[in-house]
Amino acid sequence: MMTVKNVITSKDVVAQTLKGKIEKHEAQVGVIGLGYVGLPLAVEKGKVGFPVIGFDINSARVDRVNAADNYIGDVKDEDLKDLVQKGLLVATTDFSRLAECDVVIICVPTPLTITRDPDISYIQASTEEIVKRLRPGQIITLESTTYPGTTEEVILPLLEKTGLKVGKDFFLAFSPERVDPGNKRFSTKNTSKVVGGMTPICLEIAYTLYVQTIANVVPVSSPAAAELTKVFENTYRAVNIAMVNELMMLCDRMGIDIWEVVEAAGTKPFGIQTFYPGPGVGGHCIPIDPFYLTWKAREYDFHTRFIELAGEVNVEVSYYVVNKVVRALNSVNKSLKDAEILVLGVAYKKDIDDMRESPALKIMELLRKQGANIVYHDPYIPVIEPHGGSTLHLESIPLTDEVLTSSDGVLILTDHTAVDYERVVGKAKLVVDTRNATKDVQENREKIIKI
């Protein structure tokens, strides 16, 4: 494992001054983007005494931070309130205040275009705002997931247009976020942090910054290595999920319970890591990150066949779920057209309020296009607004007995803990379960069809 060398000497006045301010928690920290990554990061910095300015183009979000009105599940309400009251955390839409910051951390979205190419426009826009105020003695770190080379090929040239030199006047690093919304065990503080600097001095300062708030910081040789580390982590998950999803579809034809197979295989104490099947992949990373890598690979005349195949399988599984619903309705002499379908759960995973890239959106669109009447219940997602190619505009309905009994079929797409599945199965005519949420239901199992 690489170690960080103390390369800053008394001759490196700018670097030495900045490192000292960081070590004393006197450095002014700026965080661009106050979403699932940025706000928890800002709070962690503030909790150890750093003054933090949060930047966002969303004025409503800024107002909520300044009112200590928490909107991120991984942030404790009392922590946010305490920091705001002490003046250690303020939010603004005024990017001119970047000039006040010694540390600037970019935590903005990196979606895909409609053609599945990387969209780094938010990174570029943030960097342009920094360029206008860049001064000696600042470190800029990028945390947004992106393709290998972004920091060096996109951000660095923009910053050096100012005439300032990296590693001497300002410092640049990449340190990928590793946020897992809703994870009660691992938070920003106790999740290992990878960091790569543009120069050895950049790495030393970035490492110093992150060890102030994170238990284990892992240095690597370059920003590109750190960028690829992040993409690899989520590609690994995407590929393994695709494998078990493909096995699920095979098990369906063979009449074998995939859940029984996966759970039995998971009892082996070595040589296997358990991945579970489902209706597709969702979230801010797994459906997106592999495409960053495949896009970059083409620059090197390299075709990532394995990764692209995994993406195809994970898309195909959503169509498989729709077909499963059709077959389930046919088994009770009901057509999908004009069928009343109740969807349970639209968040991309259980017990969170995050629906980014949720497979539920695709499945609901497909069902509706085939004539089904769709309603949904999700205790974490009160409203679905059209976004990201989805045209759905729906509000969550109460999970009443009448709703359950009047539906032709209930489709479980997210297995939220708060839902009483014994009751759901008892009241429903038919249940298609894509998450094995009904595994402990004892009565009326003849109504349950699992994927």
Side-chain angles (χ1 to χ4, degrees):
M1 185 68 68
M2 181 179 176
T3 58
V4 176
K5 296 179 180 179
N6 294 318
V7 295
I8 298 174
T9 68
S10 58
K11 295 180 181 179
D12 305 304
V13 177
V14 175
Q16 192 175 61
T17 301
L18 177 57
K19 183 179 178 183
K21 292 175 76 173
I22 291 171
E23 289 174 330
K24 296 174 184 177
H25 298 185
E26 295 174 353
Q28 175 68 64
V29 175
V31 177
I32 301 178
L34 296 173
Y36 288 92
V37 176
L39 187 58
L41 178 69
V43 168
E44 286 301 322
K45 298 300 182 198
K47 282 167 65 176
V48 299
F50 283 105
V52 181
I53 302 173
F55 298 87
D56 206 291
I57 60 174
N58 186 329
S59 58
R61 182 179 283 179
V62 165
D63 290 343
R64 291 188 69 176
V65 171
N66 289 329
D69 179 13
N70 184 28
Y71 51 86
I72 299 294
D74 292 339
V75 172
K76 293 181 180 178
D77 294 349
E78 57 270 25
D79 287 344
L80 179 61
K81 184 176 181 181
D82 182 60
L83 293 175
V84 171
Q85 287 179 341
K86 289 179 178 177
L88 285 173
L89 175 58
V90 296
T92 183
T93 58
D94 180 9
F95 283 78
S96 69
R97 295 195 65 185
L98 285 168
E100 304 171 29
C101 300
D102 304 298
V103 175
V104 181
I105 306 174
I106 303 172
C107 304
V108 295
T110 48
L112 296 172
T113 68
I114 194 168
T115 57
R116 311 301 281 179
D117 291 329
D119 178 2
I120 60 168
S121 59
Y122 294 100
I123 293 176
Q124 291 171 312
S126 299
T127 305
E128 292 285 4
E129 292 291 348
I130 296 168
V131 166
K132 296 174 186 176
R133 292 96 186 175
L134 188 66
R135 58 170 172 78
Q138 289 181 309
I139 180 169
I140 292 86
T141 71
L142 174 63
E143 296 213 359
S144 305
T145 303
T146 185
Y147 59 83
T150 302
T151 303
E152 183 174 0
E153 298 167 9
V154 178
I155 295 180
L156 180 59
L158 290 173
L159 296 175
E160 288 200 321
K161 285 195 308 182
T162 62
L164 299 176
K165 297 300 180 184
V166 69
K168 180 182 178 182
D169 302 314
F170 71 92
F171 311 95
L172 179 62
F174 180 81
S175 184
E177 57 86 7
R178 281 175 163 172
V179 172
D180 184 17
N183 193 316
K184 303 302 182 185
R185 181 181 177 188
F186 293 108
S187 63
T188 301
K189 182 178 178 62
N190 68 353
T191 299
S192 299
K193 196 88 164 75
V194 172
V195 61
M198 277 305 310
T199 69
I201 289 180
C202 292
L203 177 59
E204 184 177 341
I205 294 175
Y207 181 86
T208 302
L209 170 66
Y210 284 108
V211 295
Q212 306 305 311
T213 54
I214 295 172
N216 182 37
V217 179
V218 181
V220 293
S221 60
S222 66
E227 289 160 343
L228 185 53
T229 297
K230 170 62 176 181
V231 176
F232 168 66
E233 291 168 4
N234 288 306
T235 301
Y236 167 82
R237 294 174 65 195
V239 168
N240 280 278
I241 291 170
M243 183 189 71
V244 76
N245 278 338
E246 187 168 63
L247 185 63
M248 169 188 70
M249 291 185 280
L250 174 61
C251 284
D252 181 53
R253 293 194 185 185
M254 297 177 72
I256 298 171
D257 186 342
I258 179 63
W259 300 97
E260 180 184 12
V261 172
V262 169
E263 290 175 3
T267 62
K268 184 180 180 181
F270 55 88
I272 189 168
Q273 182 180 358
T274 302
F275 289 84
Y276 295 97
V281 293
H284 61 301
C285 287
I286 298 177
I288 294 174
D289 294 3
F291 289 98
Y292 274 82
L293 187 55
T294 59
W295 180 86
K296 186 65 176 179
R298 292 198 293 270
E299 181 181 320
Y300 295 87
D301 198 22
F302 191 90
H303 187 54
T304 51
R305 291 166 293 176
F306 205 64
I307 298 170
E308 291 177 33
L309 178 60
E312 292 173 13
V313 171
N314 285 329
V315 169
E316 181 185 350
V317 76
S318 294
Y319 290 87
Y320 163 80
V321 169
V322 172
N323 186 48
K324 194 78 172 179
V325 172
V326 171
R327 288 159 52 194
L329 290 171
N330 284 345
S331 71
V332 291
N333 300 314
K334 179 67 182 178
S335 168
L336 179 60
K337 182 173 173 54
D338 296 324
E340 303 293 333
I341 304 296
L342 168 64
V343 171
L344 287 187
V346 297
Y348 84 83
K349 69 173 184 175
K350 68 189 296 183
D351 300 341
I352 64 168
D353 61 354
D354 191 347
M355 59 185 294
R356 288 175 292 175
E357 304 291 329
S358 173
L361 300 177
K362 176 78 171 180
I363 292 167
M364 292 165 75
E365 287 268 21
L366 292 171
L367 289 170
R368 196 162 69 167
K369 285 179 181 179
Q370 294 194 38
N373 299 314
I374 305 295
V375 295
Y376 85 95
H377 170 79
D378 191 311
Y380 295 91
I381 311 289
V383 179
I384 299 174
E385 300 282 3
H387 73 286
S390 171
T391 62
L392 293 172
H393 181 88
L394 295 170
E395 295 184 5
S396 177
I397 64 172
L399 192 59
T400 63
D401 288 353
E402 182 181 357
V403 167
L404 287 168
T405 56
S406 63
S407 297
D408 294 306
V410 175
L411 174 59
I412 302 173
L413 294 179
T414 314
D415 50 334
H416 291 310
T417 305
V419 175
D420 182 349
Y421 296 103
E422 192 88 46
R423 170 175 167 256
V424 169
V425 174
K427 300 292 182 181
K429 297 183 181 76
L430 183 71
V431 177
V432 177
D433 183 2
T434 72
R435 298 285 191 176
N436 205 24
T438 58
K439 63 180 179 180
D440 295 325
V441 174
Q442 302 299 319
E443 303 292 331
N444 302 296
R445 291 206 63 85
E446 70 280 359
K447 297 182 183 180
I448 302 170
I449 296 176
K450 296 194 290 184
I451 62 170

